[in-house]
Amino acid sequence: MTTLPIGTPYEKGRYKETCGPCGAVFEVVVFGGPMAKAQSENPQDYNCPECGKLYYSRGLHAPRITLLSPRTTHS
């Protein structure tokens, strides 16, 4: 059995987000830790990679954002 050292981040969750203002679709990967308790995780903010709208997740580190589909609006 392999154990991760304390403090080593791991992928806690992965989901697709569609930005309301611009319509871009992006993947959000949230990181946790093997010994992390829910109360030790903090709100982490991230932005839409196309228009910059602010979103939040909960984890140990800032999430990784990958653009899947560009914006559909031009404002």
Side-chain angles (χ1 to χ4, degrees):
M1 179 174 154
T2 303
T3 58
L4 296 172
I6 294 173
T8 301
Y10 72 96
E11 186 177 308
K12 175 181 160 182
R14 176 184 297 250
Y15 57 92
K16 288 183 185 177
E17 182 84 60
T18 300
C19 183
C22 78
V25 178
F26 50 95
E27 181 180 63
V28 180
V29 179
V30 179
F31 297 99
M35 302 301 287
K37 305 228 183 272
Q39 63 268 27
S40 67
E41 295 179 341
N42 296 312
Q44 302 291 333
D45 61 337
Y46 60 95
N47 299 88
C48 169
E50 289 287 284
C51 74
K53 180 181 180 342
L54 186 62
Y55 292 92
Y56 297 95
S57 66
R58 189 160 182 83
L60 292 178
H61 305 285
R64 184 179 65 219
I65 308 302
T66 304
L67 181 64
L68 301 175
S69 178
R71 70 186 307 148
T72 58
T73 63
H74 297 289
S75 51

